[in-house]
Each structure stands twice: as structure tokens, then as C-alpha cells.
Amino acid sequence: MSTTVSRSKSEGENVADSSAPPPSYNESGAAKGRGEVETVSLEDDIDTGDSIYQKKAHVLNEALQEVGMGRYQWALFVVTGFGYFADNLWPIVTGLILSPTVNEFNFNGPFLKLGQNIGLLIGAAFWGVGADIWGRKISFNLTLLITGVFAIASGGSPNFIVLTAMASVWSIGVGGNLPVDSAIFLEFVPGTHQYLLTVLSIWWAFGQLFASLVAWPLIGNFSCASAADCPRSSNQGWRYFMYTMGGLMLVLWFIRFFIFTLYESPKFLMGKGRDEAAVDVVHRVAKRNGRESALTVEKLRGLGMYGASENGNRGGGEEGAEAKDYATTGSAVRRTLAVVDTNHVKPLFATRKLAYSTTLLIVLWALIGLAFPLYNSFVTFYLATRGADFGDGSVYITYRNQVILSAIGVPGALLAGYMVELPVLGRRGTLSIFTFLTGVFILASTTARTSDALLGWNCAYSFTSNIMYGVLYAITPELFPTKDRGTGNALTATANRVFGVMAPIIALYANLTTSVPIFIAGAIFLLAGVVALALPYESRGKASL
């Protein structure tokens, strides 16, 4: 699946010319000869209002293409996949423990989801914006640690207040995974393999499947049958489950922190005026891949100075002086305070077309942020209720069905990776079609009159929604420039979480045994499908900025 687009090129054109698009490369990363196809960058479509940044980003895209898709990027596919894995696992975890914790603590279940969604909201805003201020590495190395520690602690909760508080805190860690991890992977992968950002969502599907598989025996066999008689000693399943999931997060964090070495994003470094550090990272990645890079500091600096130096000044100054000041207490305070400014927000609305794109992405994430948890976070409760009507509402059957639904979603990520490269569909077409179909299948599920029919409709929904999310998680960071990508991801994720907070509030006042929440969720997905088609940029076949 090549992401190159053919364009004629004259023999006399200088490849090193910063104003010209970079050359295309074979799958192995070897440069093609003159007169052959060349990579088209999103620079040709998206005007960020800063020509120096765009030229330098172009040169770095060329360098990463020269380095090729090698050992470092494939390892990155795994460790950033952990973040996708956690992002879907933990909302599912909260849904899976909902029934047994309500039986034991006798509280209104949506309050647990509300606490979780507030934590996800804080995490999405904090880690995403922070990634553009202090870099990707800090966020990458802390999110899973926070999640694991507080998830394990939640297993000892004596009441629902403590459990909800723990869910809020572990969700602060969870909320930072997607905004940061999608940016990290995109900023190291060569343009020819950018479709892998869509395939990366297979980890998202694995998260749901893994949680369901572990919950099935633990919660299914060690839980109370009802709230009428549910002492702690007879309801240990959900606690075992939390210890297991929290422990898994610590294992994944250990792999990230102690085994894998993450380099800071070269485009992030370039955007901070640290050209020498950016070049050094490219050469380190090349070495890991068994290759060499022709990129030099002079080549970047020859395009002009870009970005605020770490001492707060625009351009100028020696990089060594900048690095020295970077370590001072005053600089650390200024970087922290910079989180609340708009330096990374304004560029996302620099031109009318870019502002339109950013706004539609925010709206799209907001709509899905309301519809998805309104339906999916309560799917086990809904299935159990409808199953009881059909005579098969046991705990065992409920969690068996959840495993089936989770397994159906896995091939969706692979299909998404193929479809986004089809010329007729691309990112926008695929996203629109499968968002719309997700709404259709949700609405169709209300017609089920047997347990098998209900499960069948939900399987179809699980399949299409996984394709939808796979494309959404790819196209969003692709349409933001690297220097502001963390903030852009944070804005969309925050919109998603703000409306996610509304879902349990609606659930508190709605009767979940009826089809009303399902109709609302389905209609919102239909609307989101139309919004997706209105996105002004198509990133298929174009390297991100």
C-alpha cells in the first residue's frame, strides 16, 4: 500500500530545493531515480501560515523516508499500541465492573462512569497540550504508570466513593494515551507507511477483547447474583479483575520505560528551534534501522531559524545556550505556565480552511464522544436486561456475549488500514461510511426480539465502530502540524471527553431498560457520518506536516 502520488518532474529540478516536494522512496526506503514518482506532502494542501516551518518539516519528511520503515518504527508500533490498548480497555473495564460493584455498594451506577469521564477529560487536555510544551517523552512515560498504580489501589475500595475517586485518577492517565501516542507514531513513520496509523487501532480492539476475556471467568464466577445478598466475601471477582488489569498496565509501563528507548520527536525539536537535536534523532533512528541519513544541521538551518528557543526568545542564539537554559528552574516554570497560553491553539486556526478543518474535527469528536459512551459503556447492563427478557440474562451469558462483541472488532482495524488507501474512498469516505453504518446498526438493534438477534446487531455495530475509530484516530493527527499536533489532539480529545461526561448524566435521568438511549446514540452517529464527509482535507497519499 503505497502512499505516493505520481507527479511529473523535469530533469533540471533540484531535489535539495526546499520549495520542491521531497522525492519518493521504495518500500525499503531507497530513493527512486529522477523522472519517477515523488511523495506529495500535506504541505501542498494545508497552509499553516509559517513557510519556514513547512519547509523544514518537508526536509524532515524526506529524511524519515530515507531512513525507511525499520526496527525502530516497528518497535514503536508495539509500544504506542499499548496506549491504544489502554484507551479502549479502561472504559470497557468500568462497564464490566458496573453490575457487581452496584450490587455490592448499592449506588447509582452512572456515577462511576461520570467519575471516569471527568478523569479522561482532565487527562486528554493536560497530557495532549503538555506534549507540545515539554515534549512527547514525559507524557509517554507517565500515563501507563499512573493508570496501573491507581487501578490496583481501586481493588481495595471499601465503598463506591473511593472506587469512583480511584476511577477518576486512573482515567487521568488513560486520557493522555491517544493524544500523545498517535502523535509519536505519526512523527516517526515514513510517508509510505502512514496508513499504519490506521492499523495501529488494532491494539484498541485488542484492549476491549482482552478485558472481556479476563472478566468472563473472574467476574462471571466470583460475583453475586443480585444486590439482595452481596457481601464483599462473595463478590471478589471485580477486585481480582482490577488487580489483574492494573498489574498489566505496570508491566506495559515497565516495557516502555526500561526496555524501549523513545527518542524525542525530531519535528517537535525542530519546532522548538533545536535543529541539532532534531538531526541527531534522525541519525539515531537511522542507526537503529541499519541505515544512514544524509540529513545535516546545515541543511535545516539553511532554511532559516524557526520556533521559540527554550529561553523564550524567537530564533537566534546558540543551541548550546538554549539547551543550558532549558534545564534551569525559571525555564521549567515558564514552560509549565505556557500550557495555559494560546501559542499552540492559534496556529490550528491560522487560515480559514484550516480553521474549518479543525472545527469540524472537534465537532466530530464531540458527537462521537456523546454517542459512544451513551451506548457502549452500558452495553453489558443493556444486554443483561434484554437477555433477562429473553430468559438468558445470567452473568455468564452476559460476559460471553461481551467477548464475542470484542472479538468481532479486531478484523475491523485491518480492513480500515486497507480501505483508507483506496483512491475512491480515502480517509474521509471510509470514515463517513462506517460512522453512518454504526448508527444504522445501533438503531436496528432496537428491533431485536430474540437474544441471538440482539447479539447479531451488536456484532455488526462492533465491527463498523472499530473501523470508524481506526480511521478517526489516523486522520485527526494527520491534519494537524507536528508543532501543534499535541494541542490539536488535546482539543479534539477534550471535546470527546466533555460530551462523554454528559453521557452518564443522561443515563442518570433516563431509563436504561428502554430503547431511548439507543435511539439517541444511533441518531448522533448518523449526523457524525455527514460531518465526516464535509472535512476539507484528504490525507491519503500525503506525508503529514
Side-chain angles (χ1 to χ4, degrees), residues 465-501:
S465 65
N466 272 271
I467 295 177
M468 173 195 73
Y469 266 111
V471 183
L472 183 63
Y473 288 158
I475 194 173
T476 300
E478 284 179 340
L479 298 186
F480 294 134
T482 295
K483 62 187 178 69
D484 309 303
R485 181 169 290 130
T487 301
N489 285 347
L491 286 176
T492 55
T494 298
N496 183 268
R497 303 310 185 184
V498 166
F499 279 78
V501 168

Side-chain angles (χ1 to χ4, degrees), residues 430-451:
T430 304
L431 178 60
S432 179
I433 290 171
F434 283 94
T435 303
F436 197 85
L437 285 177
T438 297
V440 169
F441 289 131
I442 284 179
L443 294 175
S445 70
T446 62
T447 66
R449 295 296 177 265
T450 67
S451 179

Side-chain angles (χ1 to χ4, degrees), residues 154-197:
S154 71
S157 300
N159 53 57
F160 89 92
I161 295 177
V162 174
L163 175 61
T164 302
M166 291 295 103
S168 297
V169 181
W170 89 51
S171 295
I172 291 176
V174 175
N177 282 302
L178 273 181
V180 175
D181 291 14
S182 61
I184 290 173
F185 184 73
L186 181 61
E187 288 160 21
F188 279 100
V189 71
T192 52
H193 291 74
Q194 216 163 273
Y195 69 90
L196 288 174
L197 185 61

Side-chain angles (χ1 to χ4, degrees), residues 445-464:
S445 70
T446 62
T447 66
R449 295 296 177 265
T450 67
S451 179
D452 288 342
L454 179 62
L455 181 60
W457 286 122
N458 278 286
C459 284
Y461 154 77
S462 179
F463 180 74
T464 58

Side-chain angles (χ1 to χ4, degrees), residues 275-359:
D275 292 346
E276 185 175 328
V279 172
D280 180 63
V281 168
V282 171
H283 282 273
R284 286 174 181 266
V285 173
K287 185 176 181 181
R288 286 282 296 273
N289 289 357
R291 295 182 179 277
E292 292 183 357
S293 172
L295 181 65
T296 63
V297 176
E298 291 72 23
K299 187 173 183 178
L300 273 185
R301 287 182 175 170
L303 298 173
M305 290 301 296
Y306 174 80
S309 65
E310 306 308 338
N311 58 10
N313 298 321
R314 291 289 299 181
E318 290 297 322
E319 201 159 319
E322 293 174 5
K324 181 179 179 181
D325 185 74
Y326 190 80
T328 66
T329 302
S331 178
V333 171
R334 284 192 296 271
R335 292 197 310 274
T336 302
L337 293 177
V339 173
V340 300
D341 70 22
T342 59
N343 288 343
H344 291 284
V345 176
K346 290 180 181 178
L348 299 174
F349 300 87
T351 64
R352 179 174 296 182
K353 191 173 181 180
L354 186 57
Y356 179 62
S357 175
T358 300
T359 301

Side-chain angles (χ1 to χ4, degrees), residues 228-247:
D229 181 23
C230 194
R232 175 169 176 168
S233 59
S234 301
N235 198 43
Q236 291 290 321
W238 74 268
R239 298 179 188 274
Y240 298 152
F241 183 53
M242 294 308 301
Y243 296 145
T244 303
M245 296 296 100

Side-chain angles (χ1 to χ4, degrees), residues 187-260:
E187 288 160 21
F188 279 100
V189 71
T192 52
H193 291 74
Q194 216 163 273
Y195 69 90
L196 288 174
L197 185 61
T198 303
V199 180
L200 192 62
S201 64
I202 195 170
W203 288 93
W204 197 79
F206 282 147
Q208 179 176 347
L209 177 60
F210 185 84
S212 302
L213 284 171
V214 176
W216 189 3
L218 291 181
I219 300 179
N221 294 320
F222 300 97
S223 298
C224 301
S226 68
D229 181 23
C230 194
R232 175 169 176 168
S233 59
S234 301
N235 198 43
Q236 291 290 321
W238 74 268
R239 298 179 188 274
Y240 298 152
F241 183 53
M242 294 308 301
Y243 296 145
T244 303
M245 296 296 100
L248 174 64
M249 291 301 105
L250 293 184
V251 171
L252 299 183
W253 167 77
F254 181 89
I255 294 172
R256 275 185 166 189
F257 193 78
F258 291 103
I259 298 178
F260 178 80

